[in-house]
Amino acid sequence: NDDLKQNKKKKADDDQARNLETLQVAFRKILSFMGTGSGRKVIFSPDVTVAFVHNNRYLFVPEALLTRELLVKVLNVCQCHLDGANGEKYSCLVQALFESLPGGRTRALNVEDVEKVIERARQVKKENANFLAQSRGKNFAGSRRNRESEKPEVPKKESANDVMDLTESPTRSSCGGKSGRCDRSRIVTPSVDLEAQIARITRTVGRKRRNTDGVDDD
């Protein structure tokens, strides 16, 4: 009976030592990825029931089986209470934990599981960066198209051929008399220069004024 008890105690001690070593290696890798491992000391104890940080330097962790639940709890404590914790890496780690590891409080993890989580977290971080880069590119292209569509239209320049003489109408001023025939020389076309139109109108008005002044009253 004594030998059996000793063997059981020895096996329990060996299991505890292996588990402690797994915890130490796993959290060293996790904290290193988060950027909070430098100058920090992780203390594992069976007397600790809830993970906590003391003096921004000591991280106390329950000495228990390494499970997904324990990793999530410790990650939350590190993110909230350790200076220098990288928020982006924290979110990538949490996403990788739930994607790569099965749930449950009793499913013990090993170092290989933690390495798989960290590798997946690196992939998630890269995917997020690529997504943001593509979004910025699409937003830039859309803003550029909007700016181009909002450019004011340049007004069209008027040419001499576009100027129409509205002061005289061929049917009223240029055509008259009993015959009703039109003087084709006085019909203004769009191709006539504006200055020539003004000069001709001035001469016409002058002749009419002289004719009016020379008429004798009966």
Side-chain angles (χ1 to χ4, degrees), residues 169-205:
S169 173
T171 60
R172 299 179 64 181
S173 299
S174 300
C175 299
K178 296 181 179 180
S179 64
R181 291 178 298 175
C182 296
D183 185 358
R184 297 297 179 183
S185 63
R186 297 181 62 192
I187 297 177
V188 180
T189 61
S191 61
V192 179
D193 184 77
L194 180 61
E195 294 183 0
Q197 295 180 40
I198 296 173
R200 185 171 63 257
I201 294 169
T202 303
R203 290 195 300 271
T204 302
V205 173

Side-chain angles (χ1 to χ4, degrees), residues 122-142:
R122 290 194 179 99
Q123 294 175 359
V124 172
K125 187 173 182 294
K126 186 176 180 180
E127 291 170 1
N128 292 342
N130 293 336
F131 174 77
L132 291 176
Q134 293 175 0
S135 300
R136 293 191 190 102
K138 291 179 180 179
N139 292 336
F140 175 78

